[in-house]
């Protein structure tokens, strides 16, 4: 069965700091990978996705993620965070269904 | 084009009561699913459907039933509510008929409290 792990449960940063959120999955076959964001009081929105091709994918709002197949990882990065990036971030893996990680709560202070 | 709609937005139940959470989409998506979101546990898949008449269990199906009589609607039924079912429920849909999920479109959620 597929599973997704997000090891960072709560991350606190100052504005302009760099961000990297870890995501590892377990599944032996081909997967599609996603990062979703949930701003306070809102529902989930897609940040970026990887289906095939270039393993470095760029998403909205300056986010990017790198798929490393040998490490079963799909880490999310942003060079310089803003206060408005405060939200919860979910990694997800799709095979025949979409499974989410437990989420990482990001707080960015001015 | 309303996207994915869910009703009600809020609901309070007593233990043992039953109810149905409604979900509808107007994008002609084949794949629909229900998740529950709990603090520290992320989103967990309850049930999903790859098309009308086809449903399957997700990670946490116990206590919930679903049916898919039309492409548009995917209701979630709580047969006998328990306090452990207090959660926020999200419905989602996508174009992928095989369930190999393309971008998921999420509804606004239903916040359910079971006393």
């Amino acid at each position: 069965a597929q599973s997704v792990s997000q090891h960072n449960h709560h991350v606190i940063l100052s504005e302009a700091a760099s961000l990297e959120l870890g995501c590892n999955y377990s599944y032996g076959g081909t997967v599609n990978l996603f990062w979703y964001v949930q701003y306070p009081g809102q529902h989930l929105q897609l940040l970026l996705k990887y289906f095939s091709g270039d393993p470095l994918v760029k998403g909205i709002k300056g986010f990017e993620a790198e798929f490393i197949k040998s490490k079963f990882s799909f880490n999310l990065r942003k060079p310089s965070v803003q206060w408005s990036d405060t939200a919860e971030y979910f990694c997800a893996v799709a095979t025949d269904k979409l499974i989410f990680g437990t989420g990482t709560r990001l707080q960015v202070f001015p | 084009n309303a996207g994915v709609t869910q009703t009600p937005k809020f609901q309070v139940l007593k233990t043992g009561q039953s109810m149905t959470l409604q979900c509808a989409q107007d994008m002609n998506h084949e794949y629909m699913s229900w998740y529950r979101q709990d603090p520290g546990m992320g989103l967990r898949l309850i049930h999903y459907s790859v098309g009308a008449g086809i449903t399957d269990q997700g990670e946490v199906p116990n206590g919930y039933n679903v049916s898919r009589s039309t492409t548009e609607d995917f209701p979630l039924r709580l047969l006998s509510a328990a306090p452990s079912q207090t959660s926020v429920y999200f419905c989602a849909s996508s174009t992928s008929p095989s369930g190999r999920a393309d971008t998921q479109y999420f509804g606004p959620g239903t916040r359910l409290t079971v006393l």
Side-chain angles (χ1 to χ4, degrees):
Chain A
Q2 69 202 81
S3 65
V4 184
S5 297
Q6 291 181 247
H7 305 294
N8 314 104
H9 299 295
H10 190 190
V11 174
I12 301 173
L13 295 173
S14 298
E15 276 193 318
S18 63
L19 170 72
E20 180 160 4
L21 301 182
C23 172
N24 288 90
Y25 68 93
S26 64
Y27 186 75
T30 303
V31 296
N32 296 342
L33 299 159
F34 304 82
W35 276 97
Y36 283 84
V37 60
Q38 187 177 32
Y39 297 103
Q42 298 185 27
H43 57 89
L44 277 80
Q45 303 171 39
L46 181 68
L47 265 183
L48 50 79
K49 60 187 178 184
Y50 172 78
F51 284 4
S52 63
D54 189 345
L56 184 63
V57 292
K58 295 191 182 300
I60 61 172
K61 304 186 181 186
F63 286 92
E64 65 178 30
E66 185 176 15
F67 171 50
I68 303 179
K69 189 175 181 179
S70 61
K71 295 185 177 180
F72 297 90
S73 70
F74 189 55
N75 293 354
L76 181 71
R77 298 194 291 249
K78 186 171 184 179
S80 176
V81 295
Q82 301 173 321
W83 174 80
S84 58
D85 293 324
T86 293
E88 193 154 17
Y89 293 81
F90 295 94
C91 181
V93 174
T95 55
D96 62 336
K97 50 188 177 288
L98 186 65
I99 300 295
F100 285 84
T102 54
T104 297
R105 183 180 173 211
L106 172 66
Q107 282 184 290
V108 180
F109 289 96
Chain B
N1 189 334
V4 180
T5 59
Q6 289 183 239
T7 56
K9 290 188 177 180
F10 302 94
Q11 183 70 50
V12 179
L13 293 177
K14 294 181 180 179
T15 297
Q17 287 185 312
S18 63
M19 80 159 294
T20 299
L21 307 185
Q22 301 291 345
C23 174
Q25 52 90 9
D26 59 1
M27 297 174 282
N28 202 32
H29 287 169
E30 294 288 342
Y31 185 83
M32 295 185 74
S33 51
W34 275 102
Y35 292 86
R36 59 177 290 174
Q37 184 179 22
D38 302 291
M41 305 191 77
L43 281 84
R44 292 179 292 169
L45 181 65
I46 305 172
H47 285 286
Y48 64 102
S49 169
V50 299
I54 307 169
T55 64
D56 206 346
Q57 296 181 349
E59 302 169 278
V60 289
N62 293 340
Y64 307 94
N65 274 359
V66 292
S67 60
R68 186 93 180 271
S69 56
T70 67
T71 300
E72 294 77 19
D73 300 299
F74 191 44
L76 178 72
R77 281 182 288 277
L78 281 71
L79 307 175
S80 177
S84 61
Q85 294 178 305
T86 294
S87 187
V88 180
Y89 291 85
F90 289 99
C91 179
S93 75
S94 76
T95 58
S96 177
S98 68
R100 189 171 192 85
D102 199 336
T103 301
Q104 294 284 322
Y105 294 84
F106 284 87
T110 294
R111 185 174 294 274
L112 175 67
T113 302
V114 183
L115 303 175

